Amino acid sequence: SIEEPAKLGEEYQFKPQMKSAMEGRITSLNIPIKDEWGIFISGYAPVKDSRGNIVAIVAADMDVAIFYKLIIKLIISLIFTFVFGLILTIAITQLYSKNIVNQLDLAVENINKLSSGDLTAKLSIQTNDEIEDIVDKADEFRQTMNLILKSFKDSFERLHEQSNTLNYIASELQKTSQGVANSMQESTFEVENQ
């Protein structure tokens, strides 16, 4: 392209955007044009006098090569942004899924302990979703079952103590009744021998 401007007042091929500029609007061509100076996108603006009357228009041409360079830079920037965003998304997804998988593995390990009878294994995960709600409810069930079994154990221990006490009392009553029976037998023997 040539950097020399057209001469003032030089005739130029009329474009509809020029008419819009003469009516007071700033406009530009939608597609590039080729002329003796190169391939350009042209923009047009009205020139007004001190009273605000449009007395002329001014045109400015931008070499299409500049637009292509800008478009290439924009495309490269978009591709870089897309690739960076994709890599960032994959990394965040990997970290998040690894965290969830680790927590689920721990929950499964503790569920296996529960299924073998160990009610001390606490179930807990931090996923902030429905899975966490399910595990929390399962842990509430574990705690409830633990309380029920503790209550059974306590009741059984009290029953065992009472059973031992009754067994002791029965043993003592048996000894006492054996002593009474022996005394009665001796008394009967003495009464018969007299």
Side-chain angles (χ1 to χ4, degrees), residues 104-184:
L104 286 174
D105 286 345
L106 181 62
V108 167
E109 180 182 325
N110 287 338
I111 287 171
N112 288 335
K113 287 179 183 177
L114 288 176
S115 69
S116 67
D118 180 5
L119 293 179
T120 62
K122 181 170 174 32
L123 300 177
S124 176
I125 62 172
Q126 302 287 318
T127 58
N128 297 324
D129 60 9
E130 294 80 10
I131 295 172
E132 181 178 348
D133 294 340
I134 291 169
V135 171
D136 287 347
K137 292 301 178 188
D139 194 59
E140 286 177 21
F141 178 74
R142 174 197 65 85
Q143 292 172 358
T144 301
M145 290 304 296
N146 213 5
L147 290 173
I148 291 170
L149 288 176
K150 186 178 181 321
S151 174
F152 280 154
K153 180 184 174 192
D154 292 345
S155 297
F156 180 76
E157 285 175 354
R158 281 194 307 275
L159 184 62
H160 183 67
E161 287 175 16
Q162 290 171 353
S163 172
N164 285 341
T165 302
L166 287 174
N167 198 17
Y168 175 75
I169 292 172
S171 172
E172 289 300 313
L173 282 175
Q174 182 182 9
K175 288 178 187 175
T176 304
S177 72
Q178 186 65 37
V180 168
N182 287 343
S183 290
M184 286 179 63

Side-chain angles (χ1 to χ4, degrees), residues 67-124:
F67 283 106
Y68 286 137
K69 287 177 185 176
L70 288 174
I71 288 172
I72 288 172
K73 284 182 181 180
L74 179 64
I75 290 172
I76 290 171
S77 295
L78 288 174
I79 290 171
F80 175 75
T81 303
F82 175 76
V83 170
F84 179 74
L86 184 63
I87 290 170
L88 186 63
T89 302
I90 290 170
I92 290 171
T93 303
Q94 287 287 55
L95 289 174
Y96 182 72
S97 64
K98 184 178 180 185
N99 182 33
I100 289 176
V101 168
N102 288 342
Q103 291 189 41
L104 286 174
D105 286 345
L106 181 62
V108 167
E109 180 182 325
N110 287 338
I111 287 171
N112 288 335
K113 287 179 183 177
L114 288 176
S115 69
S116 67
D118 180 5
L119 293 179
T120 62
K122 181 170 174 32
L123 300 177
S124 176

Side-chain angles (χ1 to χ4, degrees), residues 39-43 60-67 70:
I39 301 175
F40 299 95
I41 298 265
S42 297
D61 294 329
M62 172 91 46
D63 191 345
V64 171
I66 294 172
F67 283 106
L70 288 174

